[in-house]
Each structure stands twice: as structure tokens, then as C-alpha cells.
Amino acid sequence: MRRYTFQLLLIPMLSLFWLTASCTHRDVHFRIGVSQCSDDEWRHQMNNEMLREALFYDGVEVDIRTVKDDNAQQIEDIRHFIQEGVDLLVVAPNEAAPITPVVEEAFDRGIPVIVFDRKILSDKYTAYIGADNYELGKAIGNYVANMLHGRGNIVEIAGLTGSTSAMDRHQGFVSAISPYPGIQLLAREDAGWLRSEAGERMDTLLKRFPEIDVVYAQNDRMAAGAYAVAKQQGRAEEMRFIGTDALPGEGYGVEQVLNGQLDATFIYPTGGDRVIQIAMDILNKHDYPRETVLGTSVVDATNAQIMQMQTSHIATLDEKIETMNGKMSQFFDRYATQQVVLYGSLLVLLLVVGLLVAVYLSLRTKNRLNRKLSRQKEKLEEQKLQLTQQKEQLIQQKEQLEQLSRELEEATHAKLVFFTNVSHDFRTPLTLIADPVNQLLADKSLGERPHQLLELMKKNVNILLRLVNQILDFRKVENGRMELHLEPFDLLSSFRGWNDSFRMALLKKHISFFFEATPDMDFRMMADGEKMERIYFNLLSNAVKYTPENGKIMVRLEAEATNFRFSVFNSGSHISPKEVDAIFERFYQIDGHQAGTGIGLALVRAFVEMHGGQITAHSDEKGATFTVLFPAQSVSQYHPTVVTLPSEEAEVSTTLVETDFPMGEEETRDADRPAVLVIDDNADIRNYVKTLLAEEYHVLDAPEAATGIRLAMKYVPDVIVSDVMMPGMDGVECCRRLKTELQTCHVPVILLTACSLDEQRIQGYNGGADSYISKPFNSQLLLSRIRNLIDSRRQLRQFFGDNQTLAKENICDIDKDFVSRFKSLVEEKMRDPELNVEDLGKDMGLSRVQLYRKLKSLTNYAPNELLRQARLKKATSLLASSEMTVAEIAYEVGFSSPSYFTKCYKEQFGESPTDFLKRKNL
């Protein structure tokens, strides 16, 4: 009764607490973590937009952390959000390469990730929001080209080199002005998005270039810094300034246009409200776009006044919204307080009533319980006496069981030790028998009958060795020291091969043997081949042993949704239900079958469970069936691939171990053989094509388009062979993306298709495909087409040797522009003896390794080799046309010392520079 009384009192109290809490606290349903890469006015506006938009959603908390262009601090902030368990993560990466791994970590942990403004070097994100920086740079380039009427000098002040937005804006800008030969991009300087840095860079540019028509800055802050320096030096009036961002407010882009500091600025939308909208769609499981590209527009003197008025009006409305939100919060707080008071009063009243009822019920039941307790007390005394007697009996039984358990454990241990010792003793004489037998079998003069007898001896020696190893393995399993060595394993081919080992035993007992496997199925899995063999041999040996004369054995191999199942049935042997439950226990032997050690099936079960599977037995009047289930593990993620890049003198000599993108059976890339990338979702097709190409080419393979693109950009193959119909991204789209990437635009693409429609072929050729081959395809046709495409691509490699013009070569415009820019860059900077591949790559917008692979693929030369050749050609020209000394020429073309110049010159032309001058003066 006391329990019921307590419950009556507790319920109103808990209700009061719950109502009070629910009325005074606003629950947080979703936490959104925001990691900003820098602290500037553009990001301040975006942060305000996100916070303001979050007010329209109930129970949303936005936590914003900002760093000042610090990769390490941003990584720490993102890890903080991961540890805090935010529901969604929003990231603006400072630089793509350092931030990509921690964003992938958050994505792999199941946290939705929205990447905005700048991208990462991976597709492991939930959604992307931001302007298309390439198209933005292209729009600015077109605007500048129209402004200059196709003729003029430009300098570019760029943002942080490692950020994708800076690279994309630069590439888009260059692509827009490239068609105008009269427009020259004099220089591109990295100012890290900062006004002060831009001023320093502008000061340098003004000293270097006397004539500058346009200054293009990748944000308004850098444009303002450049303008201030130009004005200070009295040159601001002779040039035009173009910025990016077009932020409203005092001192920002729109006002700079109005006061004449900037001639124009381009809107780079913040999109903070759109970020929160898509975040809520993701959290509420609604449909959302994975890629959201924000538009842009120019702001110049024609529309800057209107835009400033509009933004001022919007800012006024935003302030009113925030004011209204504050008043509503006060109203709800007041309302919640009144509710608490009302509900509290009602609950106090209920509590008083409940107490009165509880007191009455307690008094009523107290007398009744006292009477029952008196009767139960007498019964308990009797039960206590009985329990005391039973306790004494149980103690005696427990002592007996403990004694038996100790004796059984000692006997089991002694048995295992005996078996282990005997097994070790057997191995030496068995080895001494097996080796001479093998030597005798190798004697070709041996007669047929002795050969048969030796084969019989070898077979039985192997059986004895298998039994010995089985005992030793069982001991390892018992001690927990058995190791599992996983590798790709084909169940079907292995089972068929092992079946031959039982042919003689089956014929001897006239047993009918049937082996069935699900047709057209891939039965490969990750397994320990040796232990799989022990499993199969044990089960099939038992089946042969217990099957009577003229009996039947059937083995079935089937593929299920997530498992591989194989079963072994043998007729004529019946196992009782009691024995079926105990058949896998160690040393257990079926009644009436005393042959064997009793550890075979126990070892089988241990091996099966080590593979994550399970084994069961079933028996009826027809016979016994043993069934094994293995998880169908994929082998595609197994092979680590070691790729050795060709050395670039002392610059590229690193061995890369790639585990993200498995490359099949290949382990080391042969630099002397062309590389072919095969992209196909059908493993059999990939393996077949690899078999065709393996003898002549280095073959990489990918199971789908996204992985194929990453492999292509990483390894830059000579030819890509891709299927058209693939899940996710199809082959046509894959080809289009490869042809728009600087690293892979020159690589020929062959599309394989089972469709003969002209419309699909047109789409493929429009996407940049170099050839189409229909399925089923002729292997000679495929090999011939690959050879022809590789030969045709070698034309470009003559460019640096015979001065052929790029217009004559069958290459894309991107590659023409790339090689021309590289040649011009080398000619411009070759005098600098400190010039290296890192500097060249930075000026070309590529990393050192990417520049090496690109040039190696296009010209068959490393960047250092091309630089050295250009210097030697320039030196040859100076030797022939000038009166300079050898030392002067060596320093003029960028060699660090005349002796090294003489050595390189002689290696290249077969004579020293001095010898050349002597011939010249004859």
C-alpha cells in the first residue's frame, strides 16, 4: 500500500516538473556547426544571413566558428564539431587539400556536410552551395575584353593560391581573354585575399610595368588596396580597377563604384539564407539539390545607385524582423510563465486531494494486511526449514560438480598435450618419407606400376600430414593463437579442383557424386585459402567415410543476397537430434562410429566462425546434410597497389602506396609501357579487357565513373576505355568531365556501348569521345584502335624539337594554350638559376606532381628536361649570333656555373661550347 501511496504522490509532482520544464525552455532539435575560413565583411554578411534565416525554424541552433586563413585552426574547429555531435556541418574550406581529409572524416561518420563558397578535393559531401567561380572569372574576363575593345594590358591580383575559388576565377578569366591576341595578362600576383598584401603587390607591379590598362582583383578588398597604392603614386587615372564581391555598405564594393574607386565589381552572392534552407531540407529528409550554383551580375556606374538603395531598404527590413522576433520572444516567455503559475496551482490542488485519498486507502488496507501477514508468517517458518535442508543438499552437489569439472579439464588438457606431442613426432618421419617419394616420382625412367604405387604413397602421406596439421591447428584454436590470412578466393574453381582428390575413393565405394553451382555467378570472396581447404576436405571426407556402398553424395554451391551457401549431403547415415546438437563439440564421436579423432568437425566450426560464417547439420531418414554460410565479402577493396612514378632527376622519386582506388592485380607501374584505364561496372568485362591489354600495356581499372575520373586525374593514362551504360554517372558524362579537366583533356577516350543508336554516338562525340566501339567487340579492333590513338598523341611530343606550330596538331585548345603558356613562361624566366618545378607549377596553376605528369604525357619530357633544353637552345642561338663569352652565355640562360653549362651542352650536342666557337671563327 505504501508503494501505491508513493505513486499517487509522485505522479502530480512529476507532471508539475515536466510542465514547468516544457513551458520555460525551448527545445533544441537541430545543431548546425559552421566553420568559416576567414574573417571579412563578405563572410560577416553571410553569417548574419544564416542566423537571420535560422529564426524562421523552430528549435535550430547555429554555432559559427571563424578562423583567419589558418588551415590548422579550421581543422581543429571541424573536429570540435564532430566531437560535439552536431546534426549538420557547414564548411567553407580555407584551402582544398588540407581541409579535405577532415571533411571526409565527418562525412564518413554520418554527419551531413554542406560545402559552400569553395570546394574540396573529394565528392564526400552532401551538398555544395556557391557561385561558379570559373564562370564568374569568365564573365569578368568578357567584361574586361569588351571594355578594352580587344586590346590592352592587364594585371591580376589573386586570392589564396591553394583555394579552389582563386584557381577557378583565374582559369575562367584566362579562358575569356585568350581569344583576344591584343590583350596581354602581364602578371598574376597572390595577395591572399588581403587589402594590405594587395597594396604591396600593386606597388611591385607599378614598378615593373609602365603601361597598365586594367587591374583585375579577385575581391573588392584587394581592388581597394591596389587603387590606394596607384593613387598614391599618381597613376590611378590611367587605369581601370575591377573588383569582385559587390557588397553593400560603407567602404565596400558598391560604395567604391559610386565614389569612383572601382570602375566595376561583380556580385559574388553570399547565399547564407540558402545554406540554412538546404540544411533544413537535409535534416527534415526533404528533397534538396546536391549542387546549388548562385548567379552573378556586374555592378558599375549604371546600376550601383539602384543597388545601394535596394540593399539599404533590405537592411531596414532585416532590422525590423529582428526587432519583431525579440518582441515575440518576450511575449512567449511571459505566456510560458503564466502557464506555469496556472498549471502549478492546479497540480497543488490535485496533490492535496491525492494525499487525502492516499491516507484513507492506507488506513483501510492496513488492517487487512496485518491479518494476512500473520498467516503468512507461519507458512514462512515451515518453508524456511525446508529451504535450509535443500541448501545443504545443493552445497554437496556443487562440490561434487566442481570436482568432476576439474578432473574433466585435467583429462582434456592431458589429451590435447598428448595429441600435440605425438603430432609433432609424426611430422619428422612423414617429411622423410614424403621427400624421397617426390624424388622417385621425378625419375622419368620409373615404370608405370611403381609410379602408381608411389602416387598412392604420396597421397596417403599427404593425408597423414593433413591429420597431423589438423591436430596442431586444433591446439592453436584452443590456445587462441590461430591467425587468419585473408586474400581473394574463388569458391567455385577451388571446390572443383578439390573434387578430383576424392575421385578414387568415390569409385572404390561406387558412390554417385554430384556437384551443382548456381550458374553465371561470381563466387569470389575474402578468405584464408588453406583453412577453406581444410573445411571442404573435412566435410567431404566425412561424407565419403559414412556413405555406404552405391550411395550418393551431393555438393551444392549457391549465392544468396548477402551470403554464399554450400552444403554437403550424403545418403545412408542418420544422426539423432541429440547427436546433431553435439556433433561440433571437441572429441565428440557418434555412437557406433568410433573411427577418427573427434576434432575434425570442431576444427571446421572454428575455421568457419573465424571467417564470420556459421555451420549447421541436419539429418533425416535419407541422410545427413552439413550447410555452411559465408558472408559474401567484396574483393574489390583488397589489393593495395604500389605505384612507382618515374624519377624527374632529383625532383620526383617518390613511391606512392595507393589504397583509396584499388587497381586490380597490377602493383607497379612500368614507365616503359603505355597506361590504359578501363572503366566498367561489370567485373567480367574489366577482367577480360585487362587480359587483352596486360601483355602490351600497364592496365588500371575502376568499377564506376567517379573512381575512374579520380584515377585518370591522378595517373594520367595514355588511353581511357569506358563503358557507356553505368549506374550513377554514365560514360558520356564521364568523358565530358575528363575533357574539361586540364590534367586529362589530352587523353583519348574510347567508349564501349551495346547501343547502336546514332543519337547516343552523337552525344558521345559532342562530349569529346575519340572513338566508339560496339559490343560485342572484336579484340583486334580494340587493340588496333588503342595503338592508333597512342601513336596520334605522340605528334605533340615533336613540338619542342622541330618548332611545329600547335595549329597543325590534333589537340584540344586547352592543351595548346597550356603548352604555349609553359613555353612562354620558360622563355621569360629561364635567366633565373633558382627557377624550379614548384615555381613553374605555381605560375601555371598546378602542383609540382600535376605539372610533371601533364608535361610528361604531352611531350614525353619532364619539366626540368624541357627547361634545360630551352636553355641550351637559347645558348646555341647566342653562341651563333653574339660576341658573348661562354661564361656570360651560361649565366644569361640561367645555368648556375659555366662548368655545369659546358657539361650539359656537350651531352646535348656532342661538342663543348668552346669547340663550337672555334668552328664558328674558322
Side-chain angles (χ1 to χ4, degrees), residues 577-873:
K578 177 182 177 181
E579 291 174 326
V580 165
D581 294 337
I583 198 170
F584 296 108
E585 296 179 3
R586 60 184 183 180
F587 307 128
Y588 184 83
Q589 293 176 323
I590 301 174
D591 293 342
H593 299 86
Q594 299 302 322
T597 61
I599 64 174
L601 289 177
L603 197 60
V604 166
R605 181 176 66 176
F607 287 168
V608 169
E609 291 177 350
M610 288 177 71
H611 284 82
Q614 60 181 20
I615 182 171
T616 57
H618 172 74
S619 181
D620 54 23
E621 294 77 9
K622 297 179 180 179
T625 303
F626 289 83
T627 303
V628 179
L629 287 178
F630 287 117
Q633 301 165 328
S634 172
V635 302
S636 62
Q637 301 299 322
Y638 167 69
H639 291 287
T641 304
V642 179
V643 179
T644 303
L645 298 178
S647 62
E648 181 192 344
E649 294 184 3
E651 293 180 343
V652 181
S653 60
T654 307
T655 299
L656 302 179
V657 179
E658 300 296 343
T659 56
D660 294 335
F661 313 116
M663 295 159 50
E665 298 298 331
E666 71 274 5
E667 290 187 357
T668 304
R669 176 166 180 174
D670 186 354
D672 297 331
R673 293 195 299 166
V676 179
L677 171 61
V678 180
I679 307 174
D680 200 305
D681 61 318
N682 188 299
D684 293 332
I685 293 292
R686 292 201 310 275
N687 292 333
Y688 175 61
V689 176
K690 286 170 62 179
T691 302
L692 294 175
L693 304 178
E695 185 173 342
E696 189 173 350
Y697 302 98
H698 175 76
V699 185
L700 303 91
D701 69 303
E704 39 83 23
T707 303
I709 291 174
R710 290 195 293 271
L711 282 175
M713 295 182 67
K714 191 160 194 173
Y715 299 108
V716 191
D718 295 277
V719 175
I720 297 173
V721 180
S722 174
D723 188 20
V724 172
M725 300 301 294
M726 292 184 292
M729 187 192 307
D730 62 18
V732 175
E733 176 64 16
C734 175
C735 176
R736 187 189 68 78
R737 295 197 182 184
L738 289 168
K739 292 296 184 179
T740 57
E741 293 291 343
L742 177 62
Q743 294 93 327
T744 58
C745 62
H746 65 283
V747 180
V749 177
I750 300 175
L751 294 179
L752 301 179
T753 179
C755 179
S756 60
L757 294 177
D758 290 339
E759 290 83 352
Q760 188 190 74
R761 292 176 180 268
I762 292 172
Q763 290 179 357
Y765 285 124
N766 288 338
D770 297 87
S771 181
Y772 250 106
I773 296 181
S774 300
K775 295 180 182 179
F777 56 84
N778 183 288
S779 60
Q780 294 303 317
L781 172 63
L782 178 61
L783 291 171
S784 176
R785 191 68 186 115
I786 291 174
R787 293 191 195 101
N788 290 339
L789 288 172
I790 292 176
D791 290 341
S792 67
R793 294 306 300 174
R794 288 173 180 158
Q795 295 177 6
L796 182 61
R797 296 178 181 175
Q798 302 173 0
F799 172 63
F800 281 90
D802 55 14
N803 293 321
Q804 293 182 9
T805 60
L806 290 173
K808 296 180 181 179
E809 303 299 338
N810 183 23
I811 61 173
C812 65
D813 292 338
I814 298 177
D815 284 337
K816 292 178 183 177
D817 176 68
F818 173 80
V819 177
S820 297
R821 286 194 295 118
F822 181 78
K823 184 177 179 182
S824 300
L825 183 64
V826 169
E827 291 176 352
E828 177 187 346
K829 297 191 174 184
M830 70 167 60
R831 295 184 60 185
D832 183 4
E834 301 298 326
L835 182 63
N836 54 39
V837 179
E838 284 82 358
D839 297 333
L840 292 172
K842 179 179 180 182
D843 291 332
M844 295 294 292
L846 296 174
S847 69
R848 175 176 61 84
V849 177
Q850 287 176 329
L851 179 64
Y852 170 78
R853 291 174 179 163
K854 181 74 175 179
L855 287 174
K856 190 72 174 178
S857 177
L858 287 174
T859 67
N860 205 29
Y861 292 104
N864 268 0
E865 295 173 327
L866 294 175
L867 177 59
R868 185 170 61 249
Q869 288 183 14
R871 283 171 168 165
L872 291 174
K873 287 183 180 180

Side-chain angles (χ1 to χ4, degrees), residues 389-407:
Q389 296 174 352
Q390 293 176 358
K391 180 179 178 182
E392 294 175 356
Q393 295 176 356
L394 289 174
I395 291 174
Q396 293 177 357
Q397 293 175 359
K398 178 183 176 182
E399 292 174 353
Q400 294 174 357
L401 289 174
E402 288 176 350
Q403 180 64 26
L404 290 173
S405 177
R406 286 193 295 270
E407 292 175 357

Side-chain angles (χ1 to χ4, degrees), residues 134-135 137-139 141-142 168-180 185 814 817 821:
Y134 180 86
E135 292 298 328
K138 189 173 181 181
N142 289 327
D168 290 346
R169 291 181 188 181
H170 170 70
Q171 292 178 359
F173 183 78
V174 171
S175 69
I177 65 173
S178 295
Y180 301 92
L185 180 60
I814 298 177
D817 176 68
R821 286 194 295 118

Side-chain angles (χ1 to χ4, degrees), residues 887-907:
E888 289 173 339
I889 292 175
Y891 292 123
E892 176 67 20
V893 297
F895 280 91
S896 58
S897 67
S899 60
Y900 181 59
F901 164 66
T902 300
K903 174 179 177 295
C904 295
Y905 189 94
K906 189 171 185 179
E907 290 177 354

